[in-house]
Amino acid sequence: ALNGIHRSLYIRWDSQGQPGEGGMMIMREVMSEDVVMTGLANNWFVSTTRWLTHRNENAGDVRFAWRYYYRVIGNANMIIANIDEAAGPQAEKDEIKGQALAYRAWAHFNLVQLFAERYNAGGNNSQLGVPIVTEPITEGGARNTVEEVYTQINTDIEAAIALLDEGRNAKSHININVANGIKARIALTQGRWSDAAAAAKLAREGYPLMSEADMYAGFNNVDNPEWIWGSRQVDDQQTFFASYFAYMSVNFSSTNIRGNPKAISKLLFNKIPDSDIRKNLWDPNASKPALRDPFIDEVTLSNFAKRDYMNRKFVAQGNASSVGDVMYMRASEMYLLEAEALARGGNDAQAKVILDQFAKQRNPQYAGTTNTGAALIEEIMVQRRIELWGEGFRFYDLKRLNLPLDRTGSNHVDQVVAGKFTEPAGTINWQWQIPIDEINANELMIQNPS
């Protein structure tokens, strides 16, 4: 049963654009400003980047997001409700129960970030959240408040941490490092800075920052020493077009990638120093054969569009194979999360120590930061945007920080975004609509404003 939950994170759901968590990661990125859709191609995720899909209660992707995370919760609840009475060693039962509790916390956490107003650390958070589900049920319940949802999330993740240790069978499974990483994300979103920093430090223990060689290896291998949590895709279980790499890689020969190579915002790219090894993960001259990074031609076919600032970060197994392991948590995220939490909590000195440790690994010429206060926080956030580009964090970051969407002055294509260059912070459009199937099936459900 637990392996079924692990697998649900990367299998195809209702359509090829719904490869589990990889599909959600893509949606959260293309709704933001740092990942650029360079063409229409076959229109996958175009409506999402225009901020239309998530506001449509009839959209298949809205149904998918709701169903996917609640399916994880439902399966976790079956385990939690029955594992104590199962036969077997207590240590194994603890590990299984701990992972199920962590999944329940993680799935509720994703749901409340998508379908509710943002958590306001200075408020009572009585705004409608999502239904809390902690036992096997067949009927939907009413929406709990955002504060109630976060209380349950924290209860579950703390219970998971108490049951887990460093051991596990594979990186697709949840151990105490992953659970602490989830706790760090929750605490950061709630503005609990000291808790976030402490949990992030525990999460990255034993996971060193990757080398330059690993940085250029395609972000497709769960054996990368920096990866804390990720799904391994077995070669003979290819999901073809229902794959994270079928949309985000540089080389898989899908219609979407051939006509819509994903690029970095040139405004963000220009913030990367030339001495930073990450600058080579994108090619600002891809459209110019004489200046193009040879890697782009080496891994793509002649009929692939070459667009400036296109990514070479994500590499699929081959032109005919979308196989690739999908990352959900890395040590880099935890370094930057810890530094951000320390800085926002007023501990500039320690934040600088953590930032310097991270940045010097990415930029050999980095001399250490002299920033303090708001400038230090901004430096950390720029590092976070560069490092985690394409990995599913930016929409959540904009929402938790109550920042606007701003795509102006960059390389976004008007034909793709259809004029959707800005969205003010805090509007109703930051909330996903509840899917119509849930509205019809659950008389207690209240729809978000439209």
Side-chain angles (χ1 to χ4, degrees):
L2 184 60
N3 284 336
I5 301 178
H6 298 321
R7 185 168 174 78
S8 72
L9 268 63
Y10 70 93
I11 62 171
R12 173 177 175 150
W13 286 68
D14 289 338
S15 81
Q16 70 181 56
Q18 299 171 0
E21 188 60 18
M24 293 307 305
M25 289 160 60
I26 295 169
M27 292 180 209
R28 297 194 297 262
E29 287 293 352
V30 302
M31 289 179 67
S32 307
E33 80 276 44
D34 290 340
V35 169
V36 174
M37 303 261 282
T38 64
L40 293 172
N42 54 0
N43 288 310
W44 282 103
F45 300 108
V46 170
S47 180
T48 305
T49 201
R50 292 173 177 173
W51 277 52
L52 298 175
T53 298
H54 76 291
R55 298 294 297 164
N56 178 5
E57 63 183 14
N58 296 295
D61 283 346
V62 169
R63 178 179 182 269
F64 159 63
W66 185 269
R67 175 173 171 248
Y68 160 56
Y69 287 120
Y70 271 117
R71 181 68 62 85
V72 170
I73 291 169
N75 290 338
N77 283 335
M78 291 293 290
I79 294 171
I80 295 165
N82 295 286
I83 190 66
D84 290 343
E85 302 304 317
Q90 188 62 44
E92 290 185 10
K93 292 196 289 184
D94 287 348
E95 181 184 3
I96 293 169
K97 187 175 184 179
Q99 292 193 66
L101 285 162
Y103 270 123
R104 190 167 75 182
W106 173 79
H108 277 113
F109 181 50
N110 280 287
L111 285 163
V112 76
Q113 290 179 96
L114 295 171
F115 292 96
E117 293 180 38
R118 61 182 288 272
Y119 186 92
N120 182 359
N124 62 13
N125 292 291
S126 59
Q127 65 271 33
L128 287 178
V130 294
I132 297 170
V133 183
T134 57
E135 58 186 24
I137 59 171
T138 57
E139 295 184 3
R143 295 174 70 175
N144 293 88
T145 68
V146 167
E147 188 65 44
E148 289 169 340
V149 176
Y150 274 88
T151 297
Q152 183 63 51
I153 289 169
N154 280 295
T155 296
D156 282 345
I157 201 62
E158 292 294 349
I161 289 170
L163 291 169
L164 296 171
D165 58 24
E166 293 82 3
R168 56 179 165 174
N169 293 331
K171 281 189 181 179
S172 60
H173 296 201
I174 295 176
N175 67 356
I176 196 168
N177 296 80
V178 176
N180 273 311
I182 295 170
K183 176 181 177 179
R185 292 173 179 175
I186 297 164
L188 189 75
T189 302
Q190 290 188 282
R192 297 187 287 116
W193 310 127
S194 60
D195 290 342
K201 184 176 182 179
L202 290 171
R204 62 179 172 84
E205 283 186 357
Y207 294 88
L209 292 170
M210 72 176 77
S211 66
E212 182 173 356
D214 285 331
M215 179 70 66
Y216 300 149
F219 282 78
N220 56 18
N221 188 349
V222 77
D223 293 328
N224 184 312
E226 186 181 306
W227 287 28
I228 301 172
W229 185 26
S231 289
R232 183 186 298 278
Q233 186 167 15
V234 181
D235 287 4
D236 62 1
Q237 295 179 6
Q238 179 174 181
T239 49
F240 296 96
F241 301 111
S243 162
Y244 178 77
F245 288 88
Y247 301 94
M248 292 299 294
S249 71
V250 63
N251 61 319
F252 178 62
S253 187
S254 64
T255 302
N256 189 268
I257 289 176
R258 290 195 302 271
N260 177 20
K262 308 308 179 292
I264 189 173
S265 164
K266 68 179 183 182
L267 299 181
L268 180 58
F269 181 83
N270 289 338
K271 294 178 183 291
I272 309 174
D274 291 342
S275 54
D276 192 314
I277 63 174
R278 294 170 299 182
K279 197 145 192 172
N280 293 320
L281 295 177
W282 301 275
D283 184 0
N285 300 303
S287 68
K288 309 168 187 67
L291 300 176
R292 183 183 302 149
D293 179 352
F295 180 89
I296 298 294
D297 280 331
E298 289 171 6
V299 301
T300 60
L301 303 174
S302 60
N303 59 342
F304 280 58
K306 311 297 195 302
R307 306 260 164 76
D308 289 345
Y309 301 99
M310 64 185 283
N311 101 89
R312 52 167 289 183
K313 176 177 179 177
F314 300 110
V315 183
Q317 188 178 67
N319 293 132
S321 172
S322 68
V323 168
D325 301 342
V326 184
M327 73 191 79
Y328 310 130
M329 186 181 293
R330 298 195 284 126
S332 290
E333 179 204 348
M334 293 299 128
Y335 270 93
L336 292 166
L337 194 159
E338 182 181 355
E340 180 188 347
L342 289 166
R344 292 190 189 278
N347 191 345
D348 283 6
Q350 190 58 32
K352 288 181 180 182
V353 171
I354 303 302
L355 176 60
D356 287 353
Q357 289 175 1
F358 168 81
K360 288 176 181 177
Q361 184 72 16
R362 296 294 184 253
N363 181 0
Q365 296 182 26
Y366 183 81
T369 185
T370 59
N371 287 323
T372 59
L376 175 60
I377 293 171
E378 177 60 19
E379 181 180 355
I380 294 167
M381 294 308 297
V382 170
Q383 287 281 358
R384 180 178 171 90
R385 290 168 64 189
I386 296 166
E387 182 68 26
L388 302 180
W389 181 91
E391 297 179 33
F393 293 97
R394 188 58 182 162
F395 176 79
Y396 283 164
D397 284 350
L398 290 173
K399 187 169 180 176
R400 72 177 170 87
L401 296 169
N402 204 29
L403 296 173
L405 171 73
D406 186 359
R407 294 166 170 163
T408 58
S410 193
N411 49 321
H412 287 275
V413 182
D414 186 55
Q415 181 189 28
V416 176
V417 300
K420 186 62 178 180
F421 285 93
T422 61
E423 178 67 33
T427 70
I428 61 173
N429 291 327
W430 290 88
Q431 294 174 257
W432 289 44
Q433 290 283 282
I434 309 294
I436 191 63
D437 285 356
E438 181 68 23
I439 300 293
N440 291 337
N442 181 358
E443 63 182 12
L444 301 176
M445 182 55 58
I446 298 173
Q447 182 59 282
N448 284 324
S450 60

